Amino acid sequence: MSSSTKKTSTITFRLDEKTIDGLRNESSNRRVSTNTLVNQALRQFLDWGMYESTVGFVIINKQVFIHVFGKLSQKEIIDIAVRVGKDEVKNIALFMKGRMDIQSFLSWFELRMINSSVQVSHIHEDNHFHRYVMKHELGKNWSIYHKTILELIFEEVFNKKIDVKIDKTMISFEFSE
């Protein structure tokens, strides 16, 4: 549904002046209306933010994360992904989306990447072929971790083959429905 055809409602909130000034300044900086900025912030909260602490996410500085994750061997990364990561990802995606099918999982996974400051490109061709390309700055081990999890979930949960390619700054994967 495009934004011009979405059904809207009006609601009134009382906000302190400092909050309103902050919203107006940020909307001006982003060159969007204050209404658009508030809608984006509320949507982000409803899609992601309200679940963060419930599902166990913690915030960590990118450079600290890169340093810690980079100290692990490839074997240790794969072991973490197999023993803990796969099940945690499945459970979190199910909890946040309410179901576990390819569409809901990929919707969740894309949100997770975006909320991890990862740039995501999704190409969907002929209603059957999907290609995701994700650009990140989190290192080869982060790519290995997600490659392992994606391959396991697609094989074990969706009974589908997935072709995942990685390097230290990119993850791409494709599959056909």
Side-chain angles (χ1 to χ4, degrees):
M1 193 179 255
S2 73
S3 61
S4 62
T5 60
K6 286 183 182 175
K7 186 175 179 180
T8 63
S9 297
T10 301
I11 187 170
T12 303
F13 294 102
R14 293 185 197 280
L15 303 172
D16 64 69
E17 287 185 33
K18 189 174 179 180
T19 300
I20 292 170
D21 289 343
L23 289 168
R24 286 181 176 148
N25 287 335
E26 187 60 25
S27 65
S28 176
N29 290 340
R30 293 183 187 205
R31 296 187 172 154
V32 298
S33 70
T34 304
N35 184 72
T36 297
L37 180 67
V38 169
N39 267 290
Q40 289 170 349
L42 292 173
R43 175 58 36 214
Q44 197 279 336
F45 172 76
L46 292 172
D47 287 346
W48 194 262
M50 70 183 206
Y51 295 107
E52 282 182 329
S53 62
T54 306
V55 298
F57 284 126
V58 295
I59 296 172
I60 185 171
N61 175 276
K62 184 188 288 189
Q63 292 306 313
V64 171
F65 175 83
I66 291 168
H67 181 77
V68 171
F69 223 56
K71 294 285 185 184
L72 300 171
S73 70
Q74 182 174 335
K75 182 184 179 316
E76 289 170 315
I77 293 294
I78 292 169
D79 186 55
I80 291 168
V82 169
R83 289 183 333 125
V84 181
K86 174 195 62 156
D87 289 336
E88 283 299 307
V89 165
K90 282 189 329 191
N91 292 339
I92 292 169
L94 174 61
F95 182 79
M96 289 176 68
K97 289 295 184 174
R99 65 182 200 269
M100 187 63 167
D101 54 38
I102 289 179
Q103 188 175 33
S104 64
F105 174 74
L106 289 173
S107 170
W108 174 85
F109 190 76
E110 190 169 345
L111 267 176
R112 184 191 176 312
M113 293 298 109
I114 291 166
N115 282 286
S116 298
S117 300
V118 173
Q119 297 172 15
V120 178
S121 170
H122 176 203
I123 298 159
H124 187 206
E125 299 172 2
D126 301 328
N127 294 328
H128 298 291
F129 178 80
H130 295 267
R131 177 181 297 124
Y132 284 82
V133 180
M134 293 161 280
K135 184 178 181 294
H136 64 84
E137 300 171 348
L138 298 168
K140 180 94 179 222
N141 280 349
W142 195 82
S143 293
I144 291 167
Y145 175 81
H146 284 89
K147 176 184 190 296
T148 304
I149 287 175
L150 285 166
E151 288 172 341
L152 289 168
I153 287 175
F154 268 77
E155 181 180 323
E156 294 176 14
V157 177
F158 305 129
N159 295 315
K160 293 222 171 275
K161 292 289 183 195
I162 184 173
D163 182 26
V164 183
K165 293 181 175 46
I166 63 166
D167 67 21
K168 68 180 185 172
T169 61
M170 299 287 283
I171 301 171
S172 68
F173 64 92
E174 54 190 50
F175 66 96
S176 294
E177 290 186 60

